Amino acid sequence: MWPYPRTLAHRGGGTLAPENTLAALRCGLAYGYRAVEFDVMLASDGVPVVVHDPELGRTVAGSGFISDYTAEELGRMDAGAWFGPQFAGEGVPTFEAVVAYCKAQRIWMNIEIKPAPGFEVPTGLAVARATRSHFAQEIAAGELLPLLSSFSIAALQAARQAAPELARGWLVEAVPAGWMQTAKELGVVAIHCDHKQLTPELARQVKEAGYGLFCYTVNTRERASELLAWGVDGYCTDRIDVIPSMA
């Protein structure tokens, strides 16, 4: 039900580096994390880029929306100075660049499809197609592949259409009533939820139904141990300096 690593660095480097950047990936690796979670949306030219917010201003200096700029333009923007001067000039990376780094360093990926409003289907299609292309050899060899995930049902459906061989997880804040029927219709292999909204009974239901169970974002060892005791298979964390990586 969950052939993937147990602990993932949230957005690459948790709270120790600017999120969703190559610097974050380097940071996570420095702390021994060879499994990461990151977010992907589309630039104006349809190129997948790794960033969380659809609007500039929080982590990327500038104004407007990610969908207003090409991937090349976003790469020249500053996505690191907000975190610290030592990260000034760290640009918005392309999905291709992040995958290349992760593959070179043997880092497993939970790829969250994070569409801007109105771009759910094209983002799901583009991310799934790009992932299938980047991992063509691994697919042919039957090796462990990245896991695609999303809050967007439309994006998950599009990803399934584009690359049915890639496993998917359904992201929710709280596991909703009727979740099992939706999960079956989506063909997902796992449920991803906010750990604060999970109960032992819900965890039991998900596991007994045959799904993997993943939680975000767990930042203490005590809570991680409690969730694992409930049957949770994996989680991401911002505190890669506190919670050691576990395969």
Side-chain angles (χ1 to χ4, degrees):
M1 290 183 284
W2 187 263
Y4 310 113
R6 179 173 291 177
T7 52
L8 280 62
H10 187 223
R11 301 181 191 172
T15 56
L16 303 185
E19 64 181 56
N20 286 320
T21 62
L22 292 175
L25 294 176
R26 293 191 293 268
C27 179
L29 186 61
Y31 277 83
Y33 273 74
R34 290 189 180 274
V36 298
E37 179 271 354
F38 56 80
D39 308 283
V40 185
M41 65 179 62
L42 299 183
S44 65
D45 50 0
V47 175
V49 294
V50 176
V51 66
H52 181 274
D53 297 1
E55 189 170 359
L56 277 65
R58 183 178 70 89
T59 65
V60 183
S63 61
F65 296 88
I66 294 295
S67 57
D68 294 334
Y69 300 92
T70 66
E72 184 179 358
E73 289 170 333
L74 291 166
R76 294 198 298 266
M77 293 180 179
D78 196 324
W82 68 274
F83 192 90
Q86 69 272 35
F87 296 107
E90 190 77 27
V92 176
T94 63
F95 177 49
E96 181 178 14
V98 168
V99 169
Y101 181 86
C102 289
K103 289 187 72 172
Q105 300 296 332
R106 296 172 52 239
I107 298 172
W108 181 80
M109 290 161 272
N110 179 165
I111 301 164
E112 181 178 343
I113 304 171
K114 196 82 172 178
F119 293 87
E120 290 81 6
V121 170
T123 306
L125 291 172
V127 174
R129 287 168 178 162
T131 304
R132 183 180 59 186
S133 176
H134 292 317
F135 286 86
Q137 291 184 344
E138 290 82 358
I139 291 171
E143 297 178 13
L144 186 67
L145 302 171
L147 178 66
L148 304 179
S149 64
S150 188
F151 284 98
S152 168
I153 287 177
L156 288 172
Q157 291 170 331
R160 183 184 192 181
Q161 175 188 338
E165 63 271 52
L166 297 175
R168 298 164 307 282
W170 178 28
L171 267 161
V172 295
E173 185 174 349
V175 179
W179 68 269
M180 200 179 305
Q181 182 61 34
T182 302
K184 183 178 180 180
E185 292 172 355
L186 288 173
V188 296
V189 301
I191 304 298
H192 299 205
C193 70
D194 183 347
H195 76 95
K196 296 176 183 177
Q197 304 294 325
L198 188 66
T199 65
E201 174 60 20
L202 279 171
R204 183 188 64 78
Q205 291 176 16
V206 172
K207 295 307 300 175
E208 287 186 353
Y211 291 92
L213 180 57
F214 182 84
C215 285
Y216 65 88
T217 302
V218 182
N219 290 330
T220 68
R221 292 192 184 197
E222 294 76 15
R223 181 57 170 166
S225 296
E226 181 177 37
L227 291 167
L228 294 174
W230 291 358
V232 170
D233 295 295
Y235 56 87
C236 62
T237 181
D238 282 324
R239 295 305 308 272
I240 62 175
D241 55 332
V242 170
I243 298 178
S245 174
M246 292 185 289

